[in-house]
Amino acid sequence: MAEANQTEVYVYEKVLILLSCALSFLGSLLIIWTYAIWLDLRTQPRKLLVYLSVADLLSALSYSYGVWRDFETDSVDCITQGAISTFANTSSFFWTVAIAIYLYIFIVRSSQRQADNLVLYFHLISWGVPFAITVAAVSLQKIGYDASEVSVGWCWVNIQAEDHVLWMLLTGKIWEFIAYITLPILYILIKMHIRKAHADLSEYRPILTTSPVSHSLSSTADRKLTIIPIIFILLRVWSTIRFLLLLTGSPARQNPVLVTLHGIGNTFQGAANCIMFVVLTPSIRSRLVALLCCRGQNRVWNPDSESQNRTSAYAANTHSHAEENISPRTCEDDGE
């Protein structure tokens, strides 16, 4: 069955997916690193993003090994790679939903305490459930070679197992389907609440421009994390399509374009999060640029002058996204 239905993975597909894995690995590392070195970025939502990045980093490593090896049969390293990617991928699903739930309670319910109390349960569920499922799948010998039928070179559920569809659901797809339903609902509710809040406060913005903006900075940063569900859906939908095509027995699941999109989508989430929450976030991007300038050109910043510039920026731009108003730190502030 495996050989008859094997999906060929072309060299160019491997190259693109390995590149995606590398970018996701580096992107996840950058998210973790920026959280570690800048204390004021350590909000609870961004900490949850770090946990998601850990899962994405582990996924990128395991997927890259699978694509590089391009397994053709069951083996010890195939099963090991399949187990690691199953755990990391499923954990990524749970952390993505956990972030959406946290933001909904924090923003819509306006209860940070209630949201923070859920973090322990997020850990128990987002790490514990994937681990239990993976251990069960390995113990029952369900993880193995799947002929790239619903993967792209890596191992997942053994395609020769009679109940392989059931285990594909348990080790990923059922949680993916739940995320597809849960995330848009929470995302829409959060966006509706933010728009209503902006409309209600619009007449008071001239007053707010002279007020402290530290709370506005952190709340705007937290709200921006609502984009994570959109990233999740856009990247994951291709693997879902291939799974549904497998259920119907359609040969379209072997289409090279669909296979490539599946491979990139499953491996690019860490990079996509990095682009959105590091590269395209002016506050963090400016700090990274300043850090590179300090290291490359040995520049010395004037703290007093920078403080004045930062104050002026706050007064002029508080009507914009608060994250975009943070000036670069000095070399001294960054620990240089």
Side-chain angles (χ1 to χ4, degrees), residues 36-56:
I37 66 172
W38 286 310
L39 299 180
D40 61 309
L41 293 181
R42 296 183 184 180
T43 61
Q44 191 64 259
R46 191 163 287 274
K47 182 184 294 185
L48 298 181
L49 178 61
V50 167
Y51 299 141
L52 173 60
S53 297
V54 171
D56 291 336

Side-chain angles (χ1 to χ4, degrees), residues 106-294:
F106 181 79
I107 297 173
V108 178
R109 298 287 185 87
S110 300
S111 177
Q112 182 176 357
R113 181 177 180 180
Q114 183 181 1
D116 290 342
N117 289 338
L118 291 176
V119 173
L120 176 60
Y121 298 100
F122 291 157
H123 280 286
L124 294 176
I125 295 173
S126 299
W127 300 125
V129 173
F131 181 78
I133 292 173
T134 302
V135 169
V138 173
S139 300
L140 296 174
Q141 300 181 346
K142 303 301 180 180
I143 300 295
Y145 176 64
D146 77 341
S148 293
E149 286 294 86
V150 196
S151 69
V152 189
W154 57 77
C155 290
W156 185 29
V157 174
N158 193 329
I159 197 67
Q160 294 182 333
E162 294 183 359
D163 53 353
H164 63 274
V165 173
L166 172 63
W167 280 97
M168 286 179 179
L169 289 170
L170 291 175
T171 58
K173 291 306 172 186
I174 190 171
W175 314 113
E176 197 172 61
F177 292 141
I178 292 174
Y180 285 153
I181 297 173
T182 305
L183 296 178
I185 293 175
L186 294 174
Y187 174 74
I188 291 173
L189 291 175
I190 291 170
K191 295 302 294 182
M192 290 175 59
H193 177 84
I194 292 175
R195 289 182 181 179
K196 184 178 184 300
H198 284 176
D200 292 342
L201 293 174
S202 60
E203 61 180 304
Y204 299 107
R205 283 176 183 168
I207 299 176
L208 295 177
T209 57
T210 59
S211 303
V213 295
S214 58
H215 177 71
S216 179
L217 288 170
S218 59
S219 62
T220 303
D222 294 342
R223 291 169 185 171
K224 192 172 183 180
L225 292 175
T226 57
I227 300 175
I228 289 179
I230 294 180
I231 296 175
F232 173 87
I233 293 173
L234 290 178
L235 293 179
R236 298 289 181 173
V237 67
W238 312 109
S239 64
T240 302
I241 292 174
R242 288 194 71 204
F243 174 72
L244 295 176
L245 291 174
L246 174 67
L247 296 182
T248 61
S250 172
R253 67 183 182 277
Q254 299 178 339
N255 182 282
V257 175
L258 184 58
V259 171
T260 302
L261 290 173
H262 175 190
I264 295 175
N266 267 42
T267 59
F268 196 72
Q269 181 162 328
N273 289 339
C274 179
I275 292 172
M276 182 60 63
F277 301 110
V278 175
V279 178
L280 296 183
T281 300
S283 62
I284 302 178
R285 185 178 66 244
S286 61
R287 297 183 189 195
L288 291 174
V289 171
L291 192 61
L292 292 175
C293 289
C294 290

